[in-house]
Amino acid sequence: MTDDAEKPKKTSRQQVYTLVIEVGRNPGDGLPAKATGAALMIYASGVDEAEAVRETVAILKQADMAPLDVSGYGTLEERLESGDEIDPEERALMTRALTENSVVVASMTPFFD
């Protein structure tokens, strides 16, 4: 039997991607009654952005939401390189998404006509 302490820890390829997903209306979606849709700011983990998008869209559909459009803004490093200022609260949410290998909805902005 081998000792697990001697094995080198495998490096995770997971990264956190910032996504903005526009959703339409669906029965039971939880949006305000008179809203026509919403924009969700999301931090999602994945080995690449495509995986993060696929997983996020699947989760939103399970939550009775109707994803319409996805905009990707890259990883933390990519956003910093492009000059984005990222506050400690936002970094904490990104860390949570990475640690939990999850999708974190940071904010929801409903649309009204």
Side-chain angles (χ1 to χ4, degrees), residues 46-64:
V47 294
D48 57 23
E49 191 170 66
E51 180 188 54
V53 168
R54 281 191 306 274
E55 294 293 325
T56 302
V57 167
I59 288 169
L60 292 175
K61 285 180 178 180
Q62 286 178 351
D64 292 328

Side-chain angles (χ1 to χ4, degrees), residues 66-81:
L68 299 173
D69 186 56
V70 179
S71 298
Y73 293 90
T75 63
L76 172 63
E77 293 78 23
E78 291 168 340
R79 289 185 58 202
L80 290 171
E81 285 173 12

Side-chain angles (χ1 to χ4, degrees), residues 8-68:
K9 188 164 183 164
K10 207 173 187 183
T11 305
S12 175
R13 295 184 2 216
Q14 295 286 117
Q15 295 187 73
V16 174
Y17 295 86
T18 301
L19 307 173
V20 173
I21 301 183
E22 291 183 34
V23 296
R25 291 309 310 250
N26 226 5
D29 60 15
L31 295 176
K34 295 188 181 196
T36 58
L40 306 174
M41 172 86 123
I42 292 177
Y43 303 115
S45 66
V47 294
D48 57 23
E49 191 170 66
E51 180 188 54
V53 168
R54 281 191 306 274
E55 294 293 325
T56 302
V57 167
I59 288 169
L60 292 175
K61 285 180 178 180
Q62 286 178 351
D64 292 328
M65 300 202 93
L68 299 173

